Amino acid sequence: MSYPIAQFEELALSPLLLQTLKEIGYESPSPIQAACIPHLLAGHDLIGQAQTGTGKTAAFALPLLERLDLTNHQPQVLVLTPTRELAIQVAEAFQSYARHLPGFHVLPIYGGQSMTIQLRHLQRGAHVVVGTPGRVMDHLRRETLVLDGLRSIVLDEADEMLRMGFIDDVEWVLEQTPEDIQI
Ligand code: AMP
């Protein structure tokens, strides 16, 4: 059995992220965070399964933030979510964990929101894009979202996306990503 991780300090996260975790009152990693963060930091692919409310968002957001190159304004992380509500929630979580990362930008894109506004934000550049499959496909087809610099893709609530019939859309998006990205 592996040694249980009791402290965020044991997870090789940078001082800026550790400071944020202290400020937002996270005292120790939840089991899914302790299990996932080292593998995601190492760039490995991973499937994580845990109940809602167990800290899954931070389990992928923290290590992916750690691996960002903030000087590169192309999207480096794409998170697909089944609903616009989850897209907004995940984007807010990234924003909150990245509060001390200089110049960090996250952008939620989802159907029902003005395309023009999303276009303007995409042109400005975002390190992390969080979106629903349909709207992400729209932007990819128009080439207003370019994934040349993508390093990681997250299928958040993948089971729910499958249940909602997004399998073909998700597969299509995966085909548009560079080879060898982290999933
Ligand atoms: P999630 O499962 O990602 O939706 O997270 C559920 C809730 O737990 C959110 O309100 C998070 O802010 C909170 N949370 C996540 N990780 C931790 C942690 N290590 N310690 C305390 N709260 C946490």
Side-chain angles (χ1 to χ4, degrees):
M1 213 171 90
S2 59
Y3 176 74
I5 293 168
Q7 300 293 328
F8 279 113
E9 285 75 5
E10 295 171 61
L11 286 171
L13 294 170
S14 66
L16 286 179
L17 285 180
L18 291 175
Q19 181 189 339
T20 303
L21 295 174
K22 271 209 184 73
E23 286 169 7
I24 60 182
Y26 290 8
E27 287 176 4
S28 55
S30 71
I32 184 116
Q33 291 163 1
C36 293
I37 290 175
H39 295 288
L40 293 178
L41 279 175
H44 298 149
D45 291 348
L46 187 140
I47 297 179
Q49 243 184 323
Q51 298 286 322
T52 315
T54 50
K56 265 184 291 178
T57 315
F60 65 78
L62 294 171
L64 296 184
L65 282 171
E66 190 67 62
R67 285 165 50 80
L68 281 183
D69 171 5
L70 290 168
T71 63
N72 173 1
H73 291 266
Q74 286 182 311
Q76 293 163 56
V77 174
L78 173 64
V79 184
L80 293 180
T81 66
T83 64
R84 80 178 72 169
E85 290 76 17
L86 188 60
I88 294 168
Q89 202 181 307
V90 169
E92 284 173 355
F94 267 95
Q95 189 62 60
S96 137
Y97 301 139
R99 63 174 74 173
H100 294 303
L101 303 185
F104 172 77
H105 273 106
V106 55
L107 181 66
I109 54 174
Y110 45 84
Q113 193 197 33
S114 145
M115 217 48 187
T116 325
I117 292 178
Q118 290 176 1
L119 276 174
R120 208 177 308 136
H121 286 292
L122 280 167
Q123 276 162 1
R124 255 184 245 156
H127 301 101
V128 176
V129 172
V130 188
T132 48
R135 188 53 70 100
V136 166
M137 289 170 76
D138 271 1
H139 281 289
L140 287 172
R141 284 204 191 94
R142 293 171 187 228
E143 298 184 0
T144 46
L145 174 61
V146 178
L147 300 182
D148 295 349
L150 201 74
R151 299 173 65 187
S152 309
I153 184 164
V154 179
L155 311 179
D156 197 6
E157 298 196 353
D159 51 346
E160 190 60 23
M161 286 200 278
L162 293 188
R163 250 196 305 276
M164 290 169 70
F166 285 135
I167 176 97
D168 293 339
D169 295 358
V170 170
E171 279 181 351
W172 188 86
V173 173
L174 282 170
E175 281 164 18
Q176 314 309 310
T177 61
E179 273 180 32
D180 297 333
I181 57 160
Q182 178 183 32
I183 306 183

